[in-house]
Amino acid sequence: MRYQDSIQRFSQRAGNYDRFRPDYPQALLSFLHETVPITPGLVIADIAAGTGIFTEQIASWGSRVYVIEPNPYMRSMARRRLSACGRCVFLDGTAEATGLPDRSVDLFVSAQAFHWFDLAKTKAEFERTSRSSAHVAVVWNLRNTRSAFESGYELFIRSYATDYLQVSQRKMDTADVRSFFAPSVPKYRVFGHVDSLTYEQLLGRTLSYSFLPDELSPVLPEMTAALEALFKAHQREGRVRLSYKARLFVGQI
């Protein structure tokens, strides 16, 4: 049930996810590009690619990219976002059953999704579909809670969330990620970045979170009123600052 929910829970949020979720720091992309040998024949698989936000950034390398996404609404958004990417191949698959051919992938990437996977089954699937010395890159954007606005936003989320603590990627311990790569030891880096958001952008990003009430919820008017009050209390020239740390694990399996 949890696995199925991890696929379906974003169906009504795909539009907001695509428009308002943050991308990933260029410094992270550069480090990944330097760490993984980028050869002319490199094949990448983006696992649980969502609406293709991270995919779009790595597609600029010119490699063939398998875009693996089980949710049809998210996959449709990814097709639209990546319509100019002639080397992207879209598959209805999961981390545990990608639909990829044997020995076909040099680099697996997963952005904002690894905490949903069954890690034992995923590793077996990666081993089946990887070429020799394949790399895996696991990425998360994690919101900071350092400023007055950021700490207030975290409190707001916890006040209205349905299952935030159960599904948040914050629950994925570093040791769990490292155990996936064992006996190899992945490189680990953290990259900072900041978004400056209007109220519309903040609301859209908030509504993209699967652990908060959706736009059909009777709680929505109360929730948006609280969000607007928080925004007004902290905005400067019509914007608030929301900062992130982007965590990257990259290694071989």
Side-chain angles (χ1 to χ4, degrees):
M1 290 299 294
R2 181 180 183 276
Y3 172 73
Q4 288 298 324
D5 187 51
S6 71
I7 296 174
Q8 302 302 328
R9 65 189 294 139
F10 289 99
S11 294
Q12 303 305 316
R13 303 174 191 269
N16 282 322
Y17 197 109
D18 187 57
R19 288 183 63 196
F20 298 113
R21 283 293 182 102
D23 60 8
Y24 299 86
Q26 186 54 51
L28 184 153
L29 275 294
S30 297
F31 181 83
L32 181 58
H33 192 281
E34 293 165 4
T35 302
V36 178
I38 307 300
T39 60
L42 182 80
V43 176
I44 303 171
D46 190 350
I47 310 299
T51 66
I53 295 172
F54 190 68
T55 323
E56 184 176 37
Q57 292 182 270
I58 60 173
S60 65
W61 297 351
S63 300
R64 182 182 181 87
V65 183
Y66 286 106
V67 186
I68 314 296
E69 173 51 49
N71 184 291
Y73 300 96
M74 301 284 270
R75 195 169 61 251
S76 175
M77 292 286 179
R79 284 183 180 275
R80 186 176 67 179
R81 176 184 285 270
L82 300 166
S83 60
C85 177
R87 295 181 64 86
C88 288
V89 179
F90 298 85
L91 294 178
D92 177 4
T94 65
E96 300 83 356
T98 60
L100 291 166
D102 292 350
R103 305 287 178 259
S104 58
V105 176
D106 301 293
L107 170 62
F108 300 89
V109 299
S110 172
Q112 223 66 18
F114 196 72
H115 53 290
W116 293 113
F117 302 165
D118 180 312
L119 297 189
K121 292 180 179 179
T122 297
K123 186 165 186 176
E125 177 70 351
F126 284 11
E127 289 173 341
R128 178 188 71 80
T129 57
S130 66
R131 293 176 179 170
S132 176
S133 302
H135 284 75
V136 177
V138 179
V139 182
W140 283 287
N141 272 327
L142 295 182
R143 284 180 292 101
N144 289 319
T145 58
R146 296 179 296 211
S147 72
F149 168 71
E150 289 167 349
S151 62
Y153 189 54
E154 178 72 9
L155 180 60
F156 161 84
I157 287 174
R158 289 174 182 262
S159 297
Y160 287 97
T162 54
D163 55 357
Y164 175 55
L165 296 180
Q166 287 72 41
V167 305
S168 172
Q169 63 267 28
R170 296 174 189 273
K171 300 291 286 185
M172 176 62 76
D173 191 89
T174 296
D176 294 328
V177 183
R178 291 187 183 278
S179 69
F180 180 83
F181 288 89
S184 298
V185 178
K187 295 181 179 179
Y188 175 60
R189 297 290 188 277
V190 177
F191 303 85
H193 62 125
V194 179
D195 272 353
S196 177
L197 304 174
T198 65
Y199 176 71
E200 178 190 8
Q201 291 168 328
L202 178 66
L203 176 61
R205 185 164 301 183
T206 302
L207 292 174
S208 78
Y209 298 142
S210 69
F211 43 73
L212 286 175
D214 63 24
E215 294 179 77
L216 300 178
S217 170
V219 181
L220 183 66
E222 177 189 331
M223 186 180 79
T224 54
L227 183 66
E228 186 172 9
L230 179 67
F231 178 87
K232 287 180 176 178
H234 296 282
Q235 63 82 27
R236 297 291 182 272
E237 298 182 347
R239 292 180 177 271
V240 290
R241 180 182 183 276
L242 192 56
S243 67
Y244 291 83
K245 52 179 176 288
R247 303 174 70 206
L248 168 67
F249 297 84
V250 56
Q252 292 177 285
I253 57 170

XYZ file of all heavy atoms in Angstrom, residues 89-133:
354
model
N 14.263 8.873 -23.640
C 13.353 7.749 -23.864
C 12.507 7.583 -22.606
O 13.046 7.414 -21.512
C 14.126 6.451 -24.151
C 13.162 5.287 -24.351
C 15.035 6.616 -25.362
N 11.188 7.623 -22.732
C 10.287 7.612 -21.584
C 9.744 6.210 -21.347
O 9.237 5.567 -22.276
C 9.139 8.593 -21.810
C 9.601 10.016 -21.949
C 10.017 10.510 -23.180
C 9.638 10.860 -20.852
C 10.463 11.815 -23.311
C 10.077 12.171 -20.976
C 10.488 12.648 -22.204
N 9.831 5.772 -20.084
C 9.365 4.443 -19.731
C 8.471 4.508 -18.496
O 8.762 5.242 -17.541
C 10.542 3.508 -19.449
C 11.461 3.151 -20.621
C 12.606 2.261 -20.133
C 10.685 2.448 -21.723
N 7.402 3.720 -18.522
C 6.530 3.550 -17.366
C 7.132 2.440 -16.518
O 6.904 1.250 -16.767
C 5.127 3.181 -17.835
C 4.167 2.901 -16.688
O 4.572 3.058 -15.511
O 3.017 2.517 -16.964
N 7.943 2.817 -15.534
C 8.627 1.831 -14.714
C 8.905 2.375 -13.334
O 8.643 3.556 -13.042
N 9.414 1.536 -12.477
C 9.751 1.917 -11.107
C 11.215 1.601 -10.838
O 11.886 0.951 -11.650
C 8.884 1.139 -10.102
O 9.201 -0.258 -10.187
C 7.399 1.345 -10.373
N 11.703 2.019 -9.693
C 13.084 1.708 -9.313
C 13.294 0.208 -9.216
O 14.369 -0.302 -9.545
C 13.417 2.377 -7.984
N 12.268 -0.498 -8.783
C 12.380 -1.939 -8.569
C 12.120 -2.740 -9.848
O 12.524 -3.904 -9.942
C 11.391 -2.379 -7.487
C 11.606 -1.711 -6.139
C 10.961 -0.335 -6.012
O 10.395 0.162 -7.013
O 11.037 0.251 -4.917
N 11.473 -2.121 -10.817
C 11.169 -2.777 -12.100
C 11.165 -1.698 -13.177
O 10.118 -1.173 -13.559
C 9.825 -3.490 -12.038
N 12.341 -1.382 -13.675
C 12.503 -0.224 -14.557
C 11.981 -0.443 -15.967
O 11.611 0.507 -16.647
C 13.995 0.158 -14.664
O 14.718 -0.963 -15.195
C 14.557 0.554 -13.298
N 11.998 -1.707 -16.431
C 11.696 -1.979 -17.826
C 12.880 -1.777 -18.750
O 12.748 -1.859 -19.970
N 14.061 -1.541 -18.170
C 15.273 -1.335 -18.961
C 15.865 -2.663 -19.410
O 15.729 -3.681 -18.723
C 16.312 -0.582 -18.131
C 16.001 0.874 -17.795
C 16.933 1.373 -16.697
C 16.135 1.741 -19.043
N 16.574 -2.663 -20.530
C 17.269 -3.880 -20.951
C 18.419 -4.223 -20.006
O 18.941 -3.352 -19.292
C 17.816 -3.512 -22.344
C 17.081 -2.289 -22.764
C 16.713 -1.563 -21.508
N 18.833 -5.483 -20.010
C 20.016 -5.882 -19.251
C 21.234 -5.110 -19.741
O 21.373 -4.827 -20.937
C 20.287 -7.384 -19.445
C 19.230 -8.258 -18.799
O 18.395 -7.729 -18.039
O 19.236 -9.480 -19.055
N 22.118 -4.778 -18.783
C 23.423 -4.187 -19.093
C 23.310 -2.998 -20.045
O 23.973 -2.922 -21.068
C 24.335 -5.256 -19.716
C 24.496 -6.498 -18.864
C 25.374 -6.238 -17.653
N 25.499 -7.403 -16.792
C 24.837 -7.591 -15.666
N 23.973 -6.664 -15.254
N 25.006 -8.662 -14.926
N 22.480 -2.040 -19.681
C 22.199 -0.937 -20.608
C 22.528 0.450 -20.071
O 22.475 1.422 -20.829
C 20.710 -0.964 -20.983
O 19.891 -0.867 -19.831
N 22.884 0.588 -18.777
C 22.988 1.909 -18.157
C 24.365 2.108 -17.527
O 24.904 1.217 -16.874
C 21.891 2.084 -17.082
C 22.049 3.417 -16.354
C 20.508 1.973 -17.703
N 24.908 3.313 -17.725
C 26.193 3.684 -17.130
C 26.026 4.538 -15.873
O 26.892 4.533 -15.002
C 27.037 4.474 -18.139
C 27.295 3.693 -19.400
O 28.007 2.676 -19.338
O 26.767 4.105 -20.454
N 24.948 5.306 -15.808
C 24.731 6.201 -14.673
C 23.253 6.216 -14.317
O 22.405 6.550 -15.153
C 25.191 7.623 -15.015
C 24.813 8.731 -14.028
C 25.446 8.496 -12.658
C 25.214 10.106 -14.585
N 22.947 5.830 -13.079
C 21.600 5.945 -12.539
C 21.552 7.208 -11.685
O 22.443 7.435 -10.867
C 21.252 4.746 -11.654
C 21.289 3.423 -12.351
C 22.464 2.682 -12.401
C 20.149 2.903 -12.945
C 22.508 1.446 -13.027
C 20.179 1.670 -13.575
C 21.366 0.939 -13.619
N 20.507 8.006 -11.865
C 20.319 9.168 -10.999
C 18.921 9.104 -10.390
O 17.981 8.580 -10.997
C 20.508 10.498 -11.764
C 21.912 10.608 -12.326
C 19.471 10.666 -12.861
N 18.814 9.622 -9.187
C 17.519 9.716 -8.520
C 17.491 11.010 -7.727
O 18.269 11.184 -6.787
C 17.292 8.527 -7.587
O 16.125 8.722 -6.811
N 16.606 11.917 -8.109
C 16.494 13.205 -7.431
C 15.157 13.279 -6.705
O 14.100 13.107 -7.320
C 16.609 14.351 -8.436
N 15.215 13.455 -5.416
C 14.023 13.694 -4.597
C 13.104 12.477 -4.515
O 11.902 12.610 -4.291
C 13.237 14.889 -5.163
C 12.705 15.877 -4.143
C 13.788 16.631 -3.413
O 14.929 16.693 -3.863
N 13.448 17.197 -2.268
N 13.647 11.273 -4.697
C 12.769 10.098 -4.754
C 13.320 8.861 -4.052
O 12.573 7.913 -3.820
C 12.486 9.753 -6.219
N 14.590 8.833 -3.723
C 15.241 7.613 -3.258
C 14.583 7.061 -1.999
O 14.586 5.852 -1.759
C 16.724 7.902 -3.001
C 17.600 6.692 -2.880
C 17.918 5.922 -3.986
C 18.140 6.331 -1.648
C 18.746 4.811 -3.881
C 18.967 5.230 -1.526
C 19.272 4.472 -2.644
N 14.013 7.928 -1.160
C 13.389 7.493 0.086
C 12.114 6.687 -0.140
O 11.605 6.070 0.795
C 13.092 8.705 0.983
C 12.298 9.780 0.318
N 12.818 10.566 -0.686
C 11.024 10.209 0.505
C 11.895 11.433 -1.085
N 10.801 11.232 -0.386
N 11.588 6.685 -1.368
C 10.398 5.892 -1.673
C 10.742 4.458 -2.072
O 9.856 3.604 -2.148
C 9.625 6.531 -2.823
C 9.002 7.852 -2.546
C 9.342 9.055 -3.111
C 7.928 8.139 -1.637
N 8.547 10.058 -2.616
C 7.669 9.523 -1.716
C 7.165 7.341 -0.771
C 6.671 10.135 -0.960
C 6.169 7.955 -0.022
C 5.940 9.322 -0.118
N 12.006 4.159 -2.360
C 12.360 2.894 -2.984
C 12.505 1.764 -1.968
O 12.908 1.993 -0.823
C 13.683 3.010 -3.747
C 13.711 4.058 -4.832
C 14.925 4.464 -5.378
C 12.550 4.636 -5.317
C 14.972 5.425 -6.370
C 12.578 5.606 -6.310
C 13.800 5.995 -6.841
N 12.223 0.543 -2.429
C 12.642 -0.659 -1.710
C 14.103 -0.870 -2.106
O 14.411 -1.272 -3.229
C 11.779 -1.849 -2.139
C 12.153 -3.145 -1.437
O 13.357 -3.472 -1.379
O 11.246 -3.842 -0.960
N 15.010 -0.607 -1.175
C 16.424 -0.509 -1.547
C 17.014 -1.846 -1.969
O 17.853 -1.897 -2.871
C 17.229 0.093 -0.394
C 16.856 1.528 -0.010
C 17.865 2.095 0.980
C 16.766 2.434 -1.241
N 16.606 -2.932 -1.357
C 17.137 -4.246 -1.745
C 16.718 -4.590 -3.172
O 17.542 -5.025 -3.995
C 16.668 -5.310 -0.766
N 15.448 -4.391 -3.492
C 14.957 -4.695 -4.844
C 15.536 -3.718 -5.864
O 15.829 -4.099 -7.007
C 13.433 -4.659 -4.867
C 12.783 -5.776 -4.068
C 11.262 -5.684 -4.132
C 10.608 -6.816 -3.342
N 9.135 -6.711 -3.373
N 15.694 -2.468 -5.457
C 16.256 -1.468 -6.360
C 17.708 -1.793 -6.701
O 18.120 -1.711 -7.867
C 16.170 -0.066 -5.728
O 14.800 0.277 -5.544
C 16.846 0.979 -6.601
N 18.483 -2.199 -5.699
C 19.877 -2.526 -5.976
C 19.971 -3.723 -6.913
O 20.801 -3.737 -7.840
C 20.639 -2.804 -4.685
C 22.132 -3.003 -4.929
C 22.941 -2.912 -3.660
C 24.428 -2.978 -3.954
N 25.264 -2.806 -2.751
N 19.117 -4.726 -6.720
C 19.116 -5.884 -7.617
C 18.780 -5.463 -9.042
O 19.375 -5.952 -10.014
C 18.124 -6.923 -7.111
N 17.830 -4.538 -9.184
C 17.443 -4.063 -10.514
C 18.561 -3.236 -11.147
O 18.844 -3.371 -12.353
C 16.161 -3.234 -10.417
C 15.676 -2.624 -11.720
C 15.137 -3.632 -12.716
O 15.278 -4.860 -12.478
O 14.606 -3.217 -13.756
N 19.225 -2.411 -10.364
C 20.347 -1.635 -10.892
C 21.479 -2.558 -11.329
O 22.118 -2.327 -12.361
C 20.855 -0.649 -9.848
C 19.990 0.581 -9.660
C 18.724 0.663 -10.220
C 20.447 1.653 -8.915
C 17.926 1.789 -10.043
C 19.669 2.788 -8.730
C 18.406 2.852 -9.289
N 21.750 -3.589 -10.550
C 22.811 -4.534 -10.910
C 22.469 -5.268 -12.197
O 23.343 -5.546 -13.026
C 23.049 -5.504 -9.764
C 23.736 -4.844 -8.554
C 23.821 -5.747 -7.342
O 23.039 -6.741 -7.287
O 24.641 -5.472 -6.447
N 21.187 -5.596 -12.399
C 20.767 -6.277 -13.628
C 20.949 -5.383 -14.841
O 21.378 -5.846 -15.921
C 19.295 -6.690 -13.518
C 18.761 -7.369 -14.793
C 17.264 -7.598 -14.738
N 16.491 -6.368 -14.839
C 16.232 -5.746 -15.995
N 16.723 -6.206 -17.148
N 15.497 -4.645 -16.002
N 20.641 -4.104 -14.698
C 20.596 -3.216 -15.857
C 21.859 -2.381 -16.046
O 21.961 -1.639 -17.028
C 19.386 -2.261 -15.733
O 19.484 -1.536 -14.504
C 18.083 -3.042 -15.740
N 22.817 -2.509 -15.133
C 24.024 -1.669 -15.227
C 25.087 -2.321 -16.085
O 25.231 -3.544 -16.115
C 24.578 -1.389 -13.831
O 25.049 -2.579 -13.231
N 25.817 -1.465 -16.761
C 27.026 -1.904 -17.425
C 28.142 -1.983 -16.382
O 27.951 -1.638 -15.216
C 27.412 -0.936 -18.538
C 26.431 -0.908 -19.701
C 26.827 0.139 -20.725
N 25.912 0.152 -21.853
C 25.900 1.086 -22.785
N 26.774 2.087 -22.733
N 25.045 1.041 -23.785
N 29.298 -2.414 -16.800
C 30.425 -2.540 -15.874
C 30.753 -1.192 -15.237
O 30.803 -0.161 -15.914
C 31.650 -3.075 -16.631
O 32.772 -3.131 -15.793
N 30.956 -1.204 -13.918
C 31.366 -0.009 -13.168
C 30.366 1.133 -13.275
O 30.742 2.306 -13.329
C 32.747 0.471 -13.645
O 33.707 -0.537 -13.508
